[in-house]
Amino acid sequence: RATAPWWTSAVVYQIYPRSFADSNGDGIGDLAGIRSRLDHLEELGVDVIWLSPIYRSPQFDNGYDISDYEDIDPVFGDLAGFDALLADLHRRGMKLVMDLVVNHTSHLHPWFIESSSSTDNPKRDWYWWRSPRAGEGGPGAPNNWRSFFASSSWTLDETTGEYYLHLFAPQQPDLNWENREVREAVYAMMRRWLDRGVDGFRMDVINFISKDTSLPDGPLEPGAVGGDGSAFYLSGPRIHEFLQEMHREVFAGRDAELITVGETPGVTLEDGRLFTDPARAELDMIFQFEHVSLDRGPGRYEKRALSLPALKQSLARWQDGLGPADDGRERGWNSLYLNNHDQPRLVSRYGDDGRFRRESATLWATILHLHRGTPYVYQGEEIGMTNTTFTAIDDFADLEALNHYREQVELLGADPEAVLEDLRALSRDNARTPVQWDPTEQAGFTTGTPWMAVNPNRSEVNLVDERDAPGSVFRHYQRLIRLRHEDETVRLGDFELLEAAHPTLYAFTRTLGGDRLLVVGNVSGEPLEVPLLERWGDAALIIGNRDGGTGTTLQPWEVRVLRAG
Ligand code: TEU
Ligand code: CA
């Protein structure tokens, strides 16, 4: 095959800085803390580090509300410390990707402070301002959209008597990408980060930046707090025009060494192709959300049982949809993830975080990393960290969880305990407890009091104990990452799902030329008879997660990767 881009055999590690490593005892992770843990990242073998936002921010949404795109928030350090971290990573052969949050800024960004100061301020049109709309209850919001983090996507600004749009919190006003000045300012900022040596961007809700400028009402489901405006901002009318313009203005001429990944909630497979087709020069890859939406909904925090066939078929559809065309031409590229700072811990959600923690963590890691795409490892995933325990609503820190609770209990009269139960399973806070480096009281994360409590299971689940444990999750991730680097069939082989309807067997092949790999996983706590293994009797075991690894019976949570003889 034509030489595939470097990131087709790379593994990306996501750091959520405030929960990774604290160097100065204030209980909040920081850049110096990250620098102190680079040996771990190098030993793990990852190629790219994606930092969740470290820019100046009032931290309403833990940094996804940015007030200065070109300075480091003092809680994390400063630009000199950033440059030192970047130099360390480059010296060790690793790349650094920044989190680009440009669908919205913080309400404390100077751009918004100017824009909101008067209706004729030159920056008024940098955001979405609209007059109140007449309604039966008197003048109100310009449309009925509910926001992800509040009951309405509009907040009235008393100074000018107009509303401004925020798809997320009122502290996160949406930028108006229809305004060329906004786009130019963002592109200039991006170029300056690349000139500083940054190796790419993860682009926050990047498919939200183009809206239907008439901002029409969305459908109002019975019992919903507000209308669903997503049809009018999800991959809107000019999204591909904007991304192609961004590519020309920022990446052209230097994109070979860079990596870009768009976070695109709600994206369809058809749009996914348009975003990632190399011929279109938009993004290298995207995060899609189909597979992590199967066990929740219709509300964001309504837990549903997971159907394994539905999950297998969803991931297979994306493998096929963004896989090579019949003539071998690359049509797109998948990111591969089951964890990030917005999702609960995968071993608690999809595995068994009690009796079979290591086995189910390594099974899911193997299934994910043997798909075709770029795998993302979220901090702590490599040691099998689990969801934490929440006793009451004030154990939660995430504004999305707190708003959901308030809305459900206070606005809609839901049973507090039932809402807590949903939040325990699905809250983003599960992913934001401090990384558990060792078994001591604060898990080696801080010498002070952590901003969020360390998971009580740090005495059993931590890097020190994981390193040499039998069936070590850490050692397994090391082997998977090395396999991605060395094995062309893992990197580029065609994917084919087998036994699609089987309720607990996860089986698929990867084929490149005459080379064939089989992956079989028993996604259950019971032994599983796998007749298809009879036809792979002479195959060599490449990676397994349980002793033995032969015969046609898979032990509970056993996974095997076999190479055809
Ligand atoms: O998340 C986008 C998003 O859709 C989130 O609402 C996420 O899917 C949801 O919270 C899952 O429960 C991005 C960032 O990853 C997230 O941390 C930010 O809060 C959000 O955008 C606003 O910037
Ligand atoms: Ca700190």
PDB file of all heavy atoms in Angstrom, residues 491-512:
ATOM      1  N   ARG A 491      -2.015  -2.619  11.769  1.00  0.00           N
ATOM      2  CA  ARG A 491      -2.093  -1.216  11.350  1.00  0.00           C
ATOM      3  C   ARG A 491      -3.089  -1.026  10.218  1.00  0.00           C
ATOM      4  O   ARG A 491      -3.960  -0.161  10.286  1.00  0.00           O
ATOM      5  CB  ARG A 491      -0.693  -0.783  10.893  1.00  0.00           C
ATOM      6  CG  ARG A 491      -0.602   0.634  10.368  1.00  0.00           C
ATOM      7  CD  ARG A 491       0.809   0.914   9.856  1.00  0.00           C
ATOM      8  NE  ARG A 491       0.994   2.341   9.569  1.00  0.00           N
ATOM      9  CZ  ARG A 491       2.124   2.836   9.083  1.00  0.00           C
ATOM     10  NH1 ARG A 491       3.154   2.034   8.829  1.00  0.00           N
ATOM     11  NH2 ARG A 491       2.246   4.134   8.860  1.00  0.00           N
ATOM     12  N   LEU A 492      -3.015  -1.853   9.195  1.00  0.00           N
ATOM     13  CA  LEU A 492      -3.764  -1.562   7.962  1.00  0.00           C
ATOM     14  C   LEU A 492      -4.653  -2.693   7.490  1.00  0.00           C
ATOM     15  O   LEU A 492      -5.416  -2.513   6.540  1.00  0.00           O
ATOM     16  CB  LEU A 492      -2.775  -1.217   6.834  1.00  0.00           C
ATOM     17  CG  LEU A 492      -1.978   0.078   7.039  1.00  0.00           C
ATOM     18  CD1 LEU A 492      -0.917   0.236   5.958  1.00  0.00           C
ATOM     19  CD2 LEU A 492      -2.910   1.282   7.061  1.00  0.00           C
ATOM     20  N   GLY A 493      -4.614  -3.846   8.117  1.00  0.00           N
ATOM     21  CA  GLY A 493      -5.394  -4.993   7.636  1.00  0.00           C
ATOM     22  C   GLY A 493      -6.886  -4.690   7.561  1.00  0.00           C
ATOM     23  O   GLY A 493      -7.425  -3.935   8.373  1.00  0.00           O
ATOM     24  N   ASP A 494      -7.553  -5.292   6.564  1.00  0.00           N
ATOM     25  CA  ASP A 494      -9.001  -5.118   6.441  1.00  0.00           C
ATOM     26  C   ASP A 494      -9.700  -5.807   7.611  1.00  0.00           C
ATOM     27  O   ASP A 494      -9.299  -6.892   8.041  1.00  0.00           O
ATOM     28  CB  ASP A 494      -9.487  -5.752   5.118  1.00  0.00           C
ATOM     29  CG  ASP A 494      -8.971  -4.964   3.901  1.00  0.00           C
ATOM     30  OD1 ASP A 494      -8.615  -3.785   4.102  1.00  0.00           O
ATOM     31  OD2 ASP A 494      -8.876  -5.537   2.820  1.00  0.00           O
ATOM     32  N   PHE A 495     -10.772  -5.174   8.085  1.00  0.00           N
ATOM     33  CA  PHE A 495     -11.531  -5.675   9.243  1.00  0.00           C
ATOM     34  C   PHE A 495     -12.742  -6.461   8.766  1.00  0.00           C
ATOM     35  O   PHE A 495     -13.420  -6.061   7.814  1.00  0.00           O
ATOM     36  CB  PHE A 495     -11.993  -4.487  10.086  1.00  0.00           C
ATOM     37  CG  PHE A 495     -12.889  -4.855  11.242  1.00  0.00           C
ATOM     38  CD1 PHE A 495     -12.357  -5.041  12.508  1.00  0.00           C
ATOM     39  CD2 PHE A 495     -14.258  -5.022  11.072  1.00  0.00           C
ATOM     40  CE1 PHE A 495     -13.171  -5.390  13.586  1.00  0.00           C
ATOM     41  CE2 PHE A 495     -15.074  -5.379  12.139  1.00  0.00           C
ATOM     42  CZ  PHE A 495     -14.531  -5.563  13.398  1.00  0.00           C
ATOM     43  N   GLU A 496     -13.000  -7.604   9.417  1.00  0.00           N
ATOM     44  CA  GLU A 496     -14.265  -8.306   9.155  1.00  0.00           C
ATOM     45  C   GLU A 496     -14.818  -8.881  10.448  1.00  0.00           C
ATOM     46  O   GLU A 496     -14.149  -9.650  11.131  1.00  0.00           O
ATOM     47  CB  GLU A 496     -14.077  -9.443   8.141  1.00  0.00           C
ATOM     48  CG  GLU A 496     -15.424 -10.069   7.746  1.00  0.00           C
ATOM     49  CD  GLU A 496     -15.267 -11.335   6.890  1.00  0.00           C
ATOM     50  OE1 GLU A 496     -14.130 -11.661   6.502  1.00  0.00           O
ATOM     51  OE2 GLU A 496     -16.298 -11.993   6.638  1.00  0.00           O
ATOM     52  N   LEU A 497     -16.053  -8.482  10.783  1.00  0.00           N
ATOM     53  CA  LEU A 497     -16.693  -8.986  12.002  1.00  0.00           C
ATOM     54  C   LEU A 497     -17.231 -10.383  11.753  1.00  0.00           C
ATOM     55  O   LEU A 497     -17.793 -10.655  10.692  1.00  0.00           O
ATOM     56  CB  LEU A 497     -17.847  -8.051  12.395  1.00  0.00           C
ATOM     57  CG  LEU A 497     -18.605  -8.407  13.674  1.00  0.00           C
ATOM     58  CD1 LEU A 497     -17.703  -8.289  14.897  1.00  0.00           C
ATOM     59  CD2 LEU A 497     -19.835  -7.507  13.845  1.00  0.00           C
ATOM     60  N   LEU A 498     -17.036 -11.279  12.744  1.00  0.00           N
ATOM     61  CA  LEU A 498     -17.608 -12.633  12.663  1.00  0.00           C
ATOM     62  C   LEU A 498     -18.657 -12.775  13.754  1.00  0.00           C
ATOM     63  O   LEU A 498     -18.643 -12.029  14.742  1.00  0.00           O
ATOM     64  CB  LEU A 498     -16.500 -13.687  12.883  1.00  0.00           C
ATOM     65  CG  LEU A 498     -15.224 -13.570  12.034  1.00  0.00           C
ATOM     66  CD1 LEU A 498     -14.234 -14.667  12.434  1.00  0.00           C
ATOM     67  CD2 LEU A 498     -15.547 -13.641  10.548  1.00  0.00           C
ATOM     68  N   GLU A 499     -19.580 -13.742  13.596  1.00  0.00           N
ATOM     69  CA  GLU A 499     -20.551 -14.039  14.664  1.00  0.00           C
ATOM     70  C   GLU A 499     -21.231 -12.775  15.167  1.00  0.00           C
ATOM     71  O   GLU A 499     -21.341 -12.549  16.388  1.00  0.00           O
ATOM     72  CB  GLU A 499     -19.817 -14.725  15.826  1.00  0.00           C
ATOM     73  CG  GLU A 499     -18.987 -15.919  15.433  1.00  0.00           C
ATOM     74  CD  GLU A 499     -19.789 -17.214  15.535  1.00  0.00           C
ATOM     75  OE1 GLU A 499     -20.973 -17.150  15.920  1.00  0.00           O
ATOM     76  OE2 GLU A 499     -19.238 -18.271  15.227  1.00  0.00           O
ATOM     77  N   ALA A 500     -21.678 -11.916  14.250  1.00  0.00           N
ATOM     78  CA  ALA A 500     -22.177 -10.584  14.624  1.00  0.00           C
ATOM     79  C   ALA A 500     -23.281 -10.650  15.667  1.00  0.00           C
ATOM     80  O   ALA A 500     -23.375  -9.782  16.531  1.00  0.00           O
ATOM     81  CB  ALA A 500     -22.689  -9.876  13.372  1.00  0.00           C
ATOM     82  N   ALA A 501     -24.110 -11.682  15.626  1.00  0.00           N
ATOM     83  CA  ALA A 501     -25.283 -11.712  16.508  1.00  0.00           C
ATOM     84  C   ALA A 501     -24.997 -12.433  17.828  1.00  0.00           C
ATOM     85  O   ALA A 501     -25.829 -12.422  18.734  1.00  0.00           O
ATOM     86  CB  ALA A 501     -26.443 -12.407  15.796  1.00  0.00           C
ATOM     87  N   HIS A 502     -23.801 -13.012  17.968  1.00  0.00           N
ATOM     88  CA  HIS A 502     -23.538 -13.780  19.201  1.00  0.00           C
ATOM     89  C   HIS A 502     -23.552 -12.843  20.416  1.00  0.00           C
ATOM     90  O   HIS A 502     -22.893 -11.800  20.405  1.00  0.00           O
ATOM     91  CB  HIS A 502     -22.187 -14.491  19.097  1.00  0.00           C
ATOM     92  CG  HIS A 502     -21.983 -15.566  20.110  1.00  0.00           C
ATOM     93  ND1 HIS A 502     -21.860 -15.288  21.457  1.00  0.00           N
ATOM     94  CD2 HIS A 502     -21.908 -16.908  19.987  1.00  0.00           C
ATOM     95  CE1 HIS A 502     -21.720 -16.424  22.116  1.00  0.00           C
ATOM     96  NE2 HIS A 502     -21.747 -17.431  21.245  1.00  0.00           N
ATOM     97  N   PRO A 503     -24.272 -13.206  21.483  1.00  0.00           N
ATOM     98  CA  PRO A 503     -24.474 -12.266  22.596  1.00  0.00           C
ATOM     99  C   PRO A 503     -23.245 -12.027  23.453  1.00  0.00           C
ATOM    100  O   PRO A 503     -23.172 -10.997  24.124  1.00  0.00           O
ATOM    101  CB  PRO A 503     -25.588 -12.931  23.413  1.00  0.00           C
ATOM    102  CG  PRO A 503     -25.541 -14.371  23.066  1.00  0.00           C
ATOM    103  CD  PRO A 503     -25.049 -14.451  21.671  1.00  0.00           C
ATOM    104  N   THR A 504     -22.278 -12.954  23.457  1.00  0.00           N
ATOM    105  CA  THR A 504     -21.114 -12.730  24.338  1.00  0.00           C
ATOM    106  C   THR A 504     -19.778 -12.937  23.630  1.00  0.00           C
ATOM    107  O   THR A 504     -18.739 -12.583  24.187  1.00  0.00           O
ATOM    108  CB  THR A 504     -21.150 -13.704  25.544  1.00  0.00           C
ATOM    109  OG1 THR A 504     -21.186 -15.035  25.028  1.00  0.00           O
ATOM    110  CG2 THR A 504     -22.350 -13.446  26.443  1.00  0.00           C
ATOM    111  N   LEU A 505     -19.773 -13.506  22.427  1.00  0.00           N
ATOM    112  CA  LEU A 505     -18.503 -13.684  21.719  1.00  0.00           C
ATOM    113  C   LEU A 505     -18.205 -12.460  20.863  1.00  0.00           C
ATOM    114  O   LEU A 505     -19.055 -12.017  20.078  1.00  0.00           O
ATOM    115  CB  LEU A 505     -18.563 -14.922  20.810  1.00  0.00           C
ATOM    116  CG  LEU A 505     -17.347 -15.138  19.894  1.00  0.00           C
ATOM    117  CD1 LEU A 505     -16.090 -15.420  20.721  1.00  0.00           C
ATOM    118  CD2 LEU A 505     -17.620 -16.283  18.921  1.00  0.00           C
ATOM    119  N   TYR A 506     -16.998 -11.905  21.038  1.00  0.00           N
ATOM    120  CA  TYR A 506     -16.549 -10.800  20.174  1.00  0.00           C
ATOM    121  C   TYR A 506     -15.479 -11.400  19.263  1.00  0.00           C
ATOM    122  O   TYR A 506     -14.421 -11.785  19.737  1.00  0.00           O
ATOM    123  CB  TYR A 506     -15.946  -9.666  20.993  1.00  0.00           C
ATOM    124  CG  TYR A 506     -16.080  -8.302  20.342  1.00  0.00           C
ATOM    125  CD1 TYR A 506     -16.571  -7.205  21.054  1.00  0.00           C
ATOM    126  CD2 TYR A 506     -15.721  -8.086  19.014  1.00  0.00           C
ATOM    127  CE1 TYR A 506     -16.708  -5.941  20.469  1.00  0.00           C
ATOM    128  CE2 TYR A 506     -15.855  -6.843  18.417  1.00  0.00           C
ATOM    129  CZ  TYR A 506     -16.353  -5.776  19.144  1.00  0.00           C
ATOM    130  OH  TYR A 506     -16.505  -4.534  18.558  1.00  0.00           O
ATOM    131  N   ALA A 507     -15.755 -11.547  17.958  1.00  0.00           N
ATOM    132  CA  ALA A 507     -14.801 -12.203  17.052  1.00  0.00           C
ATOM    133  C   ALA A 507     -14.693 -11.418  15.755  1.00  0.00           C
ATOM    134  O   ALA A 507     -15.704 -10.998  15.188  1.00  0.00           O
ATOM    135  CB  ALA A 507     -15.265 -13.626  16.748  1.00  0.00           C
ATOM    136  N   PHE A 508     -13.444 -11.199  15.326  1.00  0.00           N
ATOM    137  CA  PHE A 508     -13.239 -10.532  14.040  1.00  0.00           C
ATOM    138  C   PHE A 508     -11.859 -10.873  13.494  1.00  0.00           C
ATOM    139  O   PHE A 508     -10.997 -11.369  14.208  1.00  0.00           O
ATOM    140  CB  PHE A 508     -13.406  -9.008  14.156  1.00  0.00           C
ATOM    141  CG  PHE A 508     -12.490  -8.312  15.127  1.00  0.00           C
ATOM    142  CD1 PHE A 508     -11.246  -7.824  14.736  1.00  0.00           C
ATOM    143  CD2 PHE A 508     -12.889  -8.127  16.467  1.00  0.00           C
ATOM    144  CE1 PHE A 508     -10.414  -7.168  15.636  1.00  0.00           C
ATOM    145  CE2 PHE A 508     -12.056  -7.470  17.380  1.00  0.00           C
ATOM    146  CZ  PHE A 508     -10.817  -6.988  16.965  1.00  0.00           C
ATOM    147  N   THR A 509     -11.691 -10.642  12.197  1.00  0.00           N
ATOM    148  CA  THR A 509     -10.392 -10.898  11.571  1.00  0.00           C
ATOM    149  C   THR A 509      -9.826  -9.598  11.015  1.00  0.00           C
ATOM    150  O   THR A 509     -10.545  -8.639  10.793  1.00  0.00           O
ATOM    151  CB  THR A 509     -10.517 -11.896  10.397  1.00  0.00           C
ATOM    152  OG1 THR A 509     -11.439 -11.350   9.447  1.00  0.00           O
ATOM    153  CG2 THR A 509     -10.994 -13.265  10.882  1.00  0.00           C
ATOM    154  N   ARG A 510      -8.502  -9.591  10.841  1.00  0.00           N
ATOM    155  CA  ARG A 510      -7.803  -8.560  10.138  1.00  0.00           C
ATOM    156  C   ARG A 510      -6.964  -9.233   9.062  1.00  0.00           C
ATOM    157  O   ARG A 510      -6.275 -10.222   9.334  1.00  0.00           O
ATOM    158  CB  ARG A 510      -6.888  -7.767  11.085  1.00  0.00           C
ATOM    159  CG  ARG A 510      -7.578  -7.080  12.263  1.00  0.00           C
ATOM    160  CD  ARG A 510      -8.404  -5.872  11.841  1.00  0.00           C
ATOM    161  NE  ARG A 510      -7.655  -4.886  11.072  1.00  0.00           N
ATOM    162  CZ  ARG A 510      -6.842  -3.984  11.595  1.00  0.00           C
ATOM    163  NH1 ARG A 510      -6.615  -3.979  12.891  1.00  0.00           N
ATOM    164  NH2 ARG A 510      -6.233  -3.112  10.831  1.00  0.00           N
ATOM    165  N   THR A 511      -7.068  -8.746   7.838  1.00  0.00           N
ATOM    166  CA  THR A 511      -6.406  -9.406   6.714  1.00  0.00           C
ATOM    167  C   THR A 511      -5.594  -8.406   5.908  1.00  0.00           C
ATOM    168  O   THR A 511      -6.109  -7.347   5.532  1.00  0.00           O
ATOM    169  CB  THR A 511      -7.478 -10.040   5.791  1.00  0.00           C
ATOM    170  OG1 THR A 511      -8.327 -10.857   6.592  1.00  0.00           O
ATOM    171  CG2 THR A 511      -6.814 -10.876   4.715  1.00  0.00           C
ATOM    172  N   LEU A 512      -4.324  -8.737   5.688  1.00  0.00           N
ATOM    173  CA  LEU A 512      -3.492  -7.884   4.834  1.00  0.00           C
ATOM    174  C   LEU A 512      -2.710  -8.803   3.909  1.00  0.00           C
ATOM    175  O   LEU A 512      -1.856  -9.563   4.357  1.00  0.00           O
ATOM    176  CB  LEU A 512      -2.527  -7.048   5.689  1.00  0.00           C
ATOM    177  CG  LEU A 512      -1.732  -5.980   4.924  1.00  0.00           C
ATOM    178  CD1 LEU A 512      -2.675  -4.881   4.414  1.00  0.00           C
ATOM    179  CD2 LEU A 512      -0.649  -5.359   5.806  1.00  0.00           C
TER     180      LEU A 512
END
